[in-house]
Amino acid sequence: MSRIRLEWNVESQKIDKSDSEDPIAKRARRRRALRLIMLIGVVLAVLSFGVLVVRQRLLDVQSQLEQLLRETVRAETAALRIGDINTFLAAQDSASEAWRQRQQSVFREYSELKARHDVDLTGAIVDLEIDGQRGRVVVEEIINGVRYAQVWFYRNLGDKWYHISPDFSFWGEERSLETEATSIRYFALDERFAQAISETAGGWSRRGCQILRCDSSPKLAIVIVRDSAQPVSKATDGTATLQILSPSSGRMSLDSPFDQNAQGLVAEALAEVLISRRTDGLQVVFPHDAVYLRLSVASYLVKEFLGAEGKDSLLDSLASLYGEEKVAELLDHLAPAASMAILQGIIDQPLDEAPLNWRDFVKWRLNTEADLIESGAESDMLNLYDTGDEEIWQIAYQRYQTRTILRPRAVLDQVIKRAPNGSPQLRVTVIADGGANDEERLVLFNLVDGVWKRAN
């Protein structure tokens, strides 16, 4: 009993000790804690309200700036549409006289464009972005039913937006797009353009290397630049990188950012890059046939890239008759001053028996002759003729002296027969480029040591 009583006493003491706080003090402490919590809540509510007010104010200001910018664009496009140059110039940056003069030219260009084509300056805004006092607007315009866009840049000065020259720092962040076939560097504004190039040019590069029998398909490096004198060019750092001018720097197609014009320029540049790599940078020398042969290989590649029709060149017939690998073999035999005789080294048939299409070569050769006459290159000009025949030499020399040139507008047909001395002779009918006096002319070429030399 005594042990149980003792334990009860100990527990009672603990209970008494824990409940010994003064009830009044306890309630006061609780009230103080509650007031502190309420104060913190009020402060947080005030701060939240203040943040919301400031945020809403910023949104209101941003909305006002955006609305004002939209109205500025509408007024500017309306001025272009109705031909109001004063209203149009009033929207331009008055701090730059060079820019105002440029925009006066732009106004005249639009006037001429409207006179020649069906132009609808809708003023529709495809995209709009504001960064502080800077604005960037993508504006739609429809020409002959095709949707285009212009990127216009603005600066806010007080209560008005002014159209300014392109702001290269407002092209968006720099990005890169890497695939197995391409490596593209660009700015955010050109996102769709970069994707379209990557999807297309990578396939071109692989196809080009298939034709040229490259050791390996090179990764095509492309940089989309914001400003350049050339729409497409090779980089100046010595690499094989292509530089392509951003379409956002001018009128661009909305539905097809990598349009036919851009595709043609990129295809030509890519063909040059691939040929240069394949030949270790071989440079051909004018007026030798090597110039024509290299140009022909480039043209063949471009037509393959673009899926172009009308494949009726010498290279087209060579590949069709003897296999596409002959294009690569031609480059293997190419030298700076190579003549057309290298063709005989890559096909089994004699050139005069091979059913090749010589018409585009004839056109190039006659235009080359005209260039040499006009530039006074007598020796090179006479070398295009079969000067082993005295009569032919006299004809050529007289033509050089009288500056008589023949620039064919078209080569109609060809046939290979025998010259009076029994040697192979290529006979072609051309239409001379003479305006109202165009006429058909028969031009003869004798085969001399594997090279067609003019014979009349």
Side-chain angles (χ1 to χ4, degrees):
M1 271 312 275
S2 62
R3 184 176 62 81
I4 296 174
R5 187 181 304 112
L6 179 59
E7 291 177 353
W8 183 87
N9 288 335
V10 170
E11 293 298 326
S12 297
Q13 291 173 4
K14 291 181 178 180
I15 295 172
D16 290 340
K17 184 176 181 180
S18 63
D19 293 338
S20 62
E21 183 179 2
D22 182 18
I24 296 175
K26 186 176 182 180
R27 286 194 296 272
R29 179 172 57 80
R30 288 178 177 174
R31 285 195 297 271
R32 287 195 299 273
L34 182 60
R35 283 197 296 270
L36 179 60
I37 293 172
M38 293 176 63
L39 178 62
I40 293 173
V42 170
V43 171
L44 290 176
V46 171
L47 289 175
S48 298
F49 180 75
V51 169
L52 290 175
V53 169
V54 172
R55 181 175 181 274
Q56 186 59 47
R57 176 56 182 164
L58 291 175
L59 290 175
D60 290 342
V61 171
Q62 188 76 1
S63 178
Q64 291 173 4
L65 287 173
E66 180 177 329
Q67 182 61 31
L68 184 59
L69 180 54
R70 290 180 180 275
E71 292 173 357
T72 301
V73 172
R74 279 197 293 268
E76 194 171 359
T77 53
L80 284 173
R81 188 165 53 247
I82 65 177
D84 183 355
I85 190 171
N86 292 325
T87 300
F88 177 74
L89 292 179
Q92 310 306 314
D93 179 16
S94 59
S96 172
E97 183 59 30
W99 173 249
R100 288 180 63 82
Q101 291 179 1
R102 167 60 189 147
Q103 291 301 85
Q104 288 179 6
S105 298
V106 167
F107 186 89
R108 290 192 295 269
E109 290 168 6
Y110 270 102
S111 298
E112 294 171 0
L113 186 67
K114 290 186 295 180
R116 299 193 310 268
H117 301 279
D118 179 16
V119 179
D120 184 7
L121 301 176
T122 67
I125 294 176
V126 178
D127 183 58
L128 183 148
E129 185 170 341
I130 293 176
D131 178 24
Q133 301 303 308
R134 302 187 302 174
R136 187 183 71 209
V137 183
V138 181
V139 186
E140 178 193 66
E141 53 189 36
I142 302 174
I143 303 175
N144 296 332
V146 180
R147 297 173 68 237
Y148 294 93
Q150 298 268 12
V151 181
W152 291 350
F153 295 86
Y154 292 84
R155 175 75 64 181
N156 183 264
L157 300 176
D159 60 346
K160 185 175 180 180
W161 288 97
Y162 289 91
H163 193 166
I164 62 173
S165 59
D167 184 353
F168 296 136
S169 67
F170 201 11
W171 231 261
E173 73 274 15
E174 192 169 3
R175 297 177 179 177
S176 63
L177 180 58
E178 300 285 339
T179 68
E180 183 179 349
T182 61
S183 173
I184 302 178
R185 300 203 314 272
Y186 62 99
F187 291 88
L189 188 59
D190 296 314
E191 177 75 31
R192 292 180 61 231
F193 185 54
Q195 291 177 348
I197 290 178
S198 179
E199 294 168 1
T200 304
W204 290 351
S205 182
R206 289 189 293 270
R207 176 60 179 141
C209 271
Q210 180 185 11
I211 294 171
L212 300 183
R213 303 297 193 267
C214 303
D215 293 334
S216 61
S217 180
K219 190 168 187 176
L220 179 61
I222 294 175
V223 178
I224 301 175
V225 297
R226 298 163 292 186
D227 187 29
S228 175
Q230 300 294 330
V232 180
S233 61
K234 287 184 62 175
T236 57
D237 57 5
T239 66
T241 301
L242 290 183
Q243 287 187 341
I244 303 176
L245 179 61
S246 164
S248 302
S249 63
R251 181 174 288 112
M252 61 180 175
S253 171
L254 278 173
D255 300 322
S256 179
F258 192 30
D259 60 20
Q260 290 184 348
N261 182 56
Q263 286 186 24
L265 294 172
V266 173
E268 291 172 3
L270 175 58
E272 287 298 318
V273 167
L274 294 177
I275 292 172
S276 181
R277 287 179 176 178
R278 182 63 172 75
T279 60
D280 294 326
L282 176 73
Q283 298 295 315
V284 292
V285 180
F286 182 82
H288 296 286
D289 293 340
V291 174
Y292 164 80
L293 292 170
R294 193 184 189 284
L295 289 172
S296 296
V297 174
S299 177
Y300 182 85
L301 291 176
V302 170
K303 286 188 287 186
E304 283 292 315
F305 296 160
L306 301 177
E309 298 179 356
K311 297 182 178 181
D312 56 359
S313 70
L314 176 60
L315 263 290
D316 293 326
S317 63
L318 177 69
S320 175
L321 292 167
Y322 302 101
E324 193 175 73
E325 65 275 7
K326 295 302 178 183
V327 178
E329 289 184 34
L330 180 63
L331 289 183
D332 290 334
H333 288 75
L334 194 63
S339 72
M340 192 59 66
I342 66 173
L343 282 179
Q344 190 62 82
I346 65 175
I347 63 175
D348 296 331
Q349 284 180 291
L351 287 182
D352 58 297
E353 297 178 9
L356 295 169
N357 187 341
W358 297 101
R359 286 179 295 178
D360 66 313
F361 168 69
V362 167
K363 186 174 183 179
W364 178 83
R365 177 65 74 76
L366 292 175
N367 279 316
T368 298
E369 177 185 325
D371 292 339
L372 294 173
I373 292 175
E374 289 177 343
S375 63
E378 178 182 348
S379 177
D380 287 332
M381 179 268 180
L382 294 177
N383 190 50
L384 301 180
Y385 283 75
D386 181 9
T387 53
D389 185 311
E390 179 64 23
E391 183 179 349
I392 296 175
W393 185 91
Q394 290 291 344
I395 293 173
Y397 186 73
Q398 179 67 20
R399 186 168 288 146
Y400 176 80
Q401 290 294 322
T402 58
R403 297 295 192 267
T404 303
I405 64 174
L406 170 62
R407 289 193 181 275
R409 185 160 53 82
V411 180
L412 301 181
D413 54 29
Q414 67 172 49
V415 62
I416 296 178
K417 293 187 177 182
R418 293 290 167 179
N421 63 3
S423 63
Q425 186 173 77
L426 174 65
R427 302 180 181 184
V428 296
T429 302
V430 305
I431 297 181
D433 187 6
N437 298 319
D438 280 359
E439 60 180 15
E440 293 186 7
R441 298 188 187 182
L442 179 66
V443 184
L444 308 179
F445 293 86
N446 291 340
L447 189 62
V448 180
D449 297 328
V451 180
W452 293 114
K453 300 272 190 173
R454 189 169 178 185
N456 72 335

